[in-house]
Amino acid sequence: MKIWNICRAVERVRGRASAAWVFSGRRIPLFAPYEDLASSATIKEFVG
């Protein structure tokens, strides 16, 4: 089951961000904040 298909907060658009799942209306892939946080970044650094 692909739960992302029913979530309005994310989208997948061919030709945008290599068709990766991104936050709706943005080009930020879903995995980006997790990778940044795993490498010691703070939430403030990510969204700022």
Side-chain angles (χ1 to χ4, degrees):
M1 181 172 144
K2 296 182 180 182
I3 192 131
W4 295 117
N5 290 336
I6 59 173
C7 182
R8 291 182 174 178
V10 298
E11 64 185 359
R12 186 182 230 175
V13 180
R14 185 185 296 180
R16 187 187 315 164
S18 299
W21 286 101
V22 297
F23 292 100
S24 292
R26 308 280 183 218
R27 293 178 181 251
I28 302 170
L30 293 180
F31 62 82
Y34 300 107
E35 287 181 348
D36 290 344
L37 292 172
S39 64
S40 305
T42 64
I43 294 288
K44 212 178 236 186
E45 291 172 326
F46 183 77
V47 295

